[in-house]
Amino acid sequence: MSDTVPEIAGEIVRRAGNARRFLVAIAGPPGAGKSTMADHLAAALKAQGESAEVLPMDGFHMDNAILIERGLLARKGIPETFDVRGFIDIVRAVRPADQEVLVPVFDRSREIAIASARVVSPEHRFIVVEGNYLLFSQGKWAELEGMFDYSIMLAPPIEVLEARLWERWRGYRLSEEAAHAKVYENDLPNGRLILENRRPADITLAIA
């Protein structure tokens, strides 16, 4: 990519000025590299003497029991399978930097969200929020508009996403049939939905 993570971190610090709290959104389809970039960006901000923490949207997956009840387990990851109200509430709680906020983290190996697994402290100046729907223009997700101070959209070509998704699900030792279903019946259609219904970002990267 033309913009390196340290360069992006530098731009974010410049834009933040003297702000006590600055929220950065990293959005994109499944397999785009959001989690990796969020971790690298937080590290780059810390390398510049700043304090930063990552807030992952994946912690707000609905529990599998609820998804089974609603007939949505096979589509886990689509917009309707997240606790969007809970996520928005957390973003609003984090915004003022006036209290400690405990946030959930998703354990993909067990397919469960772990409550209160990460601390966002008032001392964390930069909060790097990452997830599929941060710039999604449909449904209740649209209420996130205006909540972030800087936004990054990761939009790799579909063939890159396809390869990464195959690698992901094979890495979890799914059968070829199960991995095929994850990639072609859920993740790639969902990725196209995200890419086709996104609000403008401050910066869009084809490869993270």
Side-chain angles (χ1 to χ4, degrees):
M1 64 188 181
S2 57
D3 296 271
T4 68
V5 171
E7 288 172 341
I8 294 170
E11 174 63 17
I12 288 169
V13 171
R14 284 190 291 274
R15 292 204 187 194
N18 295 321
R20 182 180 176 186
R21 172 61 51 85
F22 196 87
L23 267 59
V24 179
I26 300 179
K34 300 179 297 295
S35 299
T36 300
M37 182 164 187
D39 289 341
H40 288 173
L41 181 57
L45 289 165
K46 291 175 185 177
Q48 296 192 26
E50 300 288 349
S51 56
E53 185 56 273
V54 176
L55 197 173
M57 192 202 81
D58 272 359
F60 295 84
H61 274 287
M62 290 181 184
D63 189 75
N64 283 358
I66 294 177
L67 298 181
I68 290 170
E69 181 181 315
R70 297 183 180 184
L72 290 172
L73 184 61
R75 298 302 317 279
K76 188 171 186 174
I78 64 172
E80 298 88 340
T81 63
F82 286 89
D83 175 14
V84 59
R85 185 198 61 79
F87 177 68
I88 292 172
D89 286 349
I90 287 289
V91 174
R92 286 177 174 153
V94 163
R95 172 88 257 175
D98 60 356
Q99 62 182 316
E100 177 181 274
V101 180
L102 298 173
V103 302
V105 174
F106 189 65
D107 183 340
R108 190 174 294 279
S109 66
R110 293 187 288 164
E111 285 288 307
I112 60 171
I114 304 171
S116 304
R118 184 168 296 174
V119 177
V120 175
S121 160
E123 286 70 44
H124 291 130
R125 184 175 181 225
F126 292 93
I127 308 302
V128 182
V129 190
E130 63 91 1
N132 293 355
Y133 302 110
L134 307 186
L135 298 177
F136 195 53
S137 62
Q138 295 186 353
K140 194 168 180 64
W141 295 101
E143 293 182 23
L144 288 167
E145 185 171 6
M147 288 193 186
F148 304 109
D149 302 299
Y150 188 85
S151 58
I152 301 167
M153 183 73 192
L154 302 184
I158 290 296
E159 58 269 21
V160 172
L161 292 175
E162 182 179 18
R164 288 181 177 178
L165 290 166
W166 269 109
E167 182 179 1
R168 168 187 290 178
W169 294 119
R170 284 170 173 157
Y172 284 104
R173 300 189 177 182
L174 268 62
S175 68
E176 289 295 292
E177 182 180 359
H180 186 280
K182 287 278 193 182
V183 173
Y184 296 108
E185 296 176 22
N186 194 43
D187 289 349
L188 281 183
N190 200 29
R192 290 187 176 94
L193 178 71
I194 292 164
L195 292 172
E196 292 168 4
N197 297 276
R198 50 178 157 145
R199 297 191 302 278
D202 289 291
I203 184 171
T204 298
L205 303 174
I207 299 293

